[in-house]
């Protein structure tokens, strides 16, 4: 760690929100040094010691990346006078500052902090003494807090987050329970909180640590598995993993239950938010579904459906007709089926019959007040809009999700629509489902559409599967492949995987499926050649071609593929913007990793880097185009992005690509399950290219993912009832898992 002493000369840049700063300092030898990092506006009159590491900026040369700072023990009289008469202290001019230093000496600040009444010797009135003392406390306290935080090995960025969150109470909150940071401060997990706790002298068997490990296990390990509850054995096993050792948990579990943070029901342990969210969701679905059947004239509906067949020049199958009539005749219904079974065709026919029956004009802009089409992701909503020629939105946007994490529409402000169609429902987790159904008015018709055999949501729960399993909602299952899709080998392969009857005889290249049996070391070169060929045929790397893989790390992981394909297919290798281990260039294909409603971009949206420029302060920023929405990213925002030449199979849900390439190697084996490979195959619309060990397809088809631990189905059909009265809790907000 390098130490540089000096005074602040000037601030080149300072971000008020997170205190990221670039400043120039003048050292004792009158050398000008640039420092960067997360630190507040500090006095330009006081000598400081800045600790950090030297980094080299491609345009601005050597800079000290500051990790911590503190006032030098010895200050010059001139510096102290300038500091005390600065804008930090109102009402103290140069003459008064000179007198303070003359009377109290170079340790004036320490003396005042110890006893403010020493200022009487300077001749200040009681009012001026108190005002100056309070200003001095505030200024000194912030720096004192930061110095203490640096001592706990907290980075400048996290230290400023803590100070912003807790302000004057920062150290008090930290010392009371450092594990609270896990919930309160983004970027701090159990390991980091544990490090701080150790420095504070907290023992390994401290009850605060044990309780934090239990909550952390349930919030992270359980949620990562998609589980809403844990058994007693699982809870202990996961908590031991977090703690790193086995210790007595009984008292911690009992206290958490008494505090209402954990709910125990029939030997199942839930986080309170999970428990009450699931109950609330079950109650609302039952309430929506329990109204009298929709009063439609069934004979007239059938007549209209026949007319729509003629109008569209097609013939619906008996199951498709059943799906349309079931959806229009019930307050809540489900249509589920795989690719090629005609889900979109059914929605299109349903909408047309609904329009005619209710005398609606779909060209009227106000139609969106009557009908809502929605999907979990931006790409799924866009595809829905293109196929149905009608406005479709993401669930978040339909609910008016704002930049502060709140929803415009909720149980107190209901959606106005009479017909709500929810596509790709397998992707919806329990928290988002609760927000959505809470906002639907009683009497609205809800049609839930999705493929129950796909991967479940990234977040906890398995909403589509649970509602189907409850047997409380009418379900139409689509099993027949449309005649237009019968010749598709992609769909045939997907069905064989899904039905777990895939054999070696199925592993042949034919029409739209290409199987390349190749050792792992040849897969990258084959993918490059395939992409080159597709580009020559006029396909787009952004919109049409997608590499899918289940893992980020490793030689054939997503990160490695992205660097390879960026190097090969992006010729703009100048003027890049570096962030972490990645460099972005103009023309790069990128994916948004988190929801950002303020800028109208959501998790999973894919865009193209359009420009990399410098602002007036010489800071780089990047412009990314997401279809017709251009978004600016400052350098510190780039943790929201990743390269997207290759993406995860989970991130591809809700999307279709003309060409999909999937490597199959033994390093993936622990992740290869039927649901994963089925989801990956069904992303391909025109061509599917599988590369590597084809026997792994058979392996994957015969290995099921473990069923998620949820109780939504049991609550929907009243096999279990909630133990306690449910109280509305403003803290029950959705987790942004997707």
């Amino acid at each position: 760690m390098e130490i540089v002493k000096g005074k602040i000369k000037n601030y080149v840049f300072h971000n008020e929100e997170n205190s990221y700063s670039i400043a120039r300092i003048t050292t004792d030898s009158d050398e000008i040094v640039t420092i960067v990092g997360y630190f507040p506006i500090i006095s330009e009159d006081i000598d400081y010691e800045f600790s950090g590491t030297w980094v080299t900026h491609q345009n601005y040369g050597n800079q000290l990346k500051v990790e911590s700072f503190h006032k030098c023990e010895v200050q010059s009289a001139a510096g102290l006078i300038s500091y005390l008469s600065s804008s930090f202290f109102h009402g103290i001019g140069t003459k008064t500052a000179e007198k303070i230093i003359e009377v109290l000496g170079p340790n004036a600040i320490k003396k005042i902090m110890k006893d403010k009444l020493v200022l009487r010797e300077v001749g200040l009135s009681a009012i001026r003494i108190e005002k100056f003392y309070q200003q001095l406390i505030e200024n000194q306290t912030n720096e004192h807090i930061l110095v203490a935080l640096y001592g706990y090995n907290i980075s400048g960025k996290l230290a400023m987050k803590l100070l912003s969150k807790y302000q004057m109470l920062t150290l008090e909150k930290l010392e009371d329970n450092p594990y609270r940071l896990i919930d309160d401060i983004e970027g701090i997990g159990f390991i980091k909180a544990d490090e701080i706790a150790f420095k504070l002298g907290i023992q390994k068997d401290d009850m605060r640590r044990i309780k934090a490990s239990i909550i952390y296990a349930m919030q992270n390990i359980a949620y990562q598995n998609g589980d809403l509850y844990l058994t007693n054995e699982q809870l202990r096993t996961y908590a031991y993993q977090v703690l790193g050792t086995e210790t007595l948990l009984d008292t911690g579990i009992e206290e958490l239950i008494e505090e209402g943070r954990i709910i125990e029901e029939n030997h199942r342990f839930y986080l309170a938010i999970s428990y009450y969210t699931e109950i609330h969701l079950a109650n609302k679905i039952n309430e929506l579904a329990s109204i009298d059947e929709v009063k439609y004239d069934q004979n007239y509906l059938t007549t209209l459906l026949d007319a729509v067949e003629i109008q569209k020049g097609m013939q619906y199958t008996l199951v498709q007709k059943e799906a349309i009539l079931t959806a229009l005749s019930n307050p809540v219904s489900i249509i589920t089926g795989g690719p090629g079974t005609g889900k979109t065709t059914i929605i299109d026919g349903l909408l047309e019959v609904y329009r005619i029956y209710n005398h609606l004009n779909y060209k009227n802009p106000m139609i969106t007040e009557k009908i809502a089409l929605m999907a979990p992701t931006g790409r799924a909503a866009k595809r829905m809009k293109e196929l149905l020629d009608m406005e479709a939105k993401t669930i978040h946007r339909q609910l008016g999700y704002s930049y502060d994490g709140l929803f415009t529409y909720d149980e107190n402000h209901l959606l106005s629509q009479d017909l709500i169609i929810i596509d790709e429902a397998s992707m919806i987790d329990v928290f988002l489902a609760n927000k959505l159904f809470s906002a639907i008015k009683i009497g609205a018709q809800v049609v839930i559409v999705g493929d129950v055999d796909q991967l479940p949501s990234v977040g906890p729960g398995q909403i589509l599967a649970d509602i189907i399993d409850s047997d409380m909602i009418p379900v139409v299952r689509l099993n027949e492949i449309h005649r237009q899709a019968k010749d598709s080998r992609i769909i045939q392969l997907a069905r064989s995987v899904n039905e777990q009857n895939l054999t070696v005889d199925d592993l042949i290249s034919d029409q739209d499926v290409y199987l390349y049996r190749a050792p792992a070391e040849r897969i990258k070169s084959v993918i490059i050649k395939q992409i080159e060929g597709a580009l020559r045929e006029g396909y787009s790397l952004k919109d049409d071609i997608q590499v899918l893989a289940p893992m980020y790390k490793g030689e054939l992981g997503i990160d490695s593929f992205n660097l390879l394909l960026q190097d090969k297919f992006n010729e703009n290798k100048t003027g890049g913007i570096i962030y972490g281990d990645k460099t972005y260039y103009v023309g790069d294909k990128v994916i948004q990793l988190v929801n950002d409603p303020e800028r109208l971009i959501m998790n999973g949206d894919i865009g193209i880097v359009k420009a990399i420029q410098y602002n007036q302060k010489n800071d780089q920023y990047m412009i990314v185009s997401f279809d017709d929405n251009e978004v600016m990213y400052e350098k510190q925002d780039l943790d929201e992005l990743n390269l997207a030449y290759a993406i995860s199979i989970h991130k591809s849900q809700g999307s279709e690509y003309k060409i999909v390439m999937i490597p199959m190697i033994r390093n993936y084996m622990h992740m290869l399950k039927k649901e994963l490979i089925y989801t990956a195959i069904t992303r391909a619309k025109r061509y599917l290219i599988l590369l590597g060990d084809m026997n792994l397809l058979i392996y994957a088809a015969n290995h099921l993912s473990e069923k998620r631990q949820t109780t939504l189905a049991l609550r929907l059909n009243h096999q279990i009832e909630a133990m306690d009265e449910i109280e509305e809790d403003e803290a029950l907000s959705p987790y942004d898992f997707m």
Side-chain angles (χ1 to χ4, degrees), residues 3-118:
I3 296 175
V4 176
K5 295 181 181 180
K7 287 186 175 73
I8 294 287
K9 182 176 187 294
N10 67 293
Y11 279 81
V12 177
F13 172 75
H14 178 74
N15 185 319
E16 291 291 344
E17 291 186 8
N18 61 14
S19 290
Y20 180 77
S21 303
I22 303 173
R24 293 188 178 94
I25 63 172
T26 304
T27 67
D28 293 341
S29 58
D30 289 331
E31 181 185 1
I32 304 299
V33 173
T34 299
I35 60 174
V36 298
Y38 295 87
F39 49 87
I41 297 291
I42 54 179
S43 173
E44 297 179 7
D45 305 301
I46 295 291
D47 289 312
Y48 287 91
E49 284 190 0
F50 299 95
S51 300
T53 53
W54 290 104
V55 295
T56 303
H57 189 280
Q58 58 184 358
N59 295 317
Y60 303 111
N62 289 339
Q63 301 175 335
L64 184 73
K65 185 178 180 182
V66 174
E67 295 295 333
S68 65
F69 71 95
H70 63 84
K71 285 189 182 73
C72 293
E73 288 295 324
V74 179
Q75 299 285 342
S76 68
L80 286 170
I81 290 167
S82 182
Y83 171 61
L84 294 177
S85 60
S86 70
S87 59
F88 287 104
F89 306 100
H90 303 295
I92 303 294
T94 304
K95 289 186 177 180
T96 304
E98 288 175 347
K99 192 168 184 182
I100 290 172
I101 300 305
E102 179 185 337
V103 172
L104 301 179
N107 292 321
I109 292 175
K110 281 187 178 179
K111 291 178 179 178
I112 297 167
M113 292 294 291
K114 186 176 181 180
D115 180 9
K116 63 186 175 185
L117 295 182
V118 298

Side-chain angles (χ1 to χ4, degrees), residues 403-420:
Y403 68 92
D404 54 5
L406 301 176
F407 291 85
T408 301
Y409 295 97
D410 55 24
E411 60 271 18
N412 299 313
H413 185 195
L414 301 174
L415 294 165
S416 65
Q417 289 81 7
D418 298 314
L419 175 64
I420 293 174

Side-chain angles (χ1 to χ4, degrees), residues 330-507:
N330 290 277
V332 183
S333 59
I334 294 175
I335 300 170
T336 183
T341 57
K343 294 190 297 293
T344 303
T345 301
I346 289 169
I347 298 174
D348 181 58
L350 185 160
L351 285 169
E352 187 62 15
V353 173
Y354 186 85
R355 178 191 71 80
I356 298 171
Y357 195 103
N358 292 285
H359 309 291
L360 299 175
N361 177 7
Y362 281 2
K363 299 303 179 184
N364 186 333
M366 298 302 292
I367 193 65
T368 54
E369 295 297 313
K370 294 286 186 182
I371 300 173
L373 306 182
M374 61 183 84
T377 67
R379 290 181 71 85
K382 180 184 176 184
R383 186 162 56 89
M384 200 178 186
K385 180 179 180 179
E386 290 170 349
L387 293 172
L388 298 170
D389 191 27
M390 188 174 174
E391 183 65 33
K393 297 180 180 179
T394 64
I395 295 171
H396 282 84
R397 189 171 297 181
Q398 187 73 58
L399 295 178
Y401 186 57
S402 60
Y403 68 92
D404 54 5
L406 301 176
F407 291 85
T408 301
Y409 295 97
D410 55 24
E411 60 271 18
N412 299 313
H413 185 195
L414 301 174
L415 294 165
S416 65
Q417 289 81 7
D418 298 314
L419 175 64
I420 293 174
I421 300 177
I422 307 161
D423 198 11
E424 297 289 354
S426 62
M427 298 176 63
I428 304 172
D429 67 54
V430 69
F431 298 108
L432 183 58
N434 182 51
K435 281 295 177 185
L436 171 56
F437 281 93
S438 293
I440 297 175
K441 67 183 182 182
I442 303 301
Q445 284 181 264
V446 182
V447 183
I448 304 169
V449 183
D451 185 350
V452 74
D453 295 317
Q454 280 190 30
L455 285 169
S457 57
V458 176
Q462 46 185 17
I463 303 306
L464 181 60
D466 280 346
I467 298 176
I468 291 172
D469 290 345
S470 74
D471 290 328
M472 297 297 289
I473 306 297
V475 178
V476 178
R477 298 177 183 270
L478 309 175
N479 296 310
E480 184 179 347
I481 301 295
H482 251 299
R483 66 175 184 273
Q484 296 98 319
K486 281 184 178 177
D487 293 335
S488 168
R489 282 282 298 141
I490 296 172
I491 291 174
Q492 291 173 27
L493 182 64
R495 172 163 282 203
S496 294
V497 167
N498 194 38
E499 294 176 350
Q500 295 186 280
N501 58 17
L502 189 69
T503 67
V504 175
D505 294 337
D506 296 309
L507 302 181

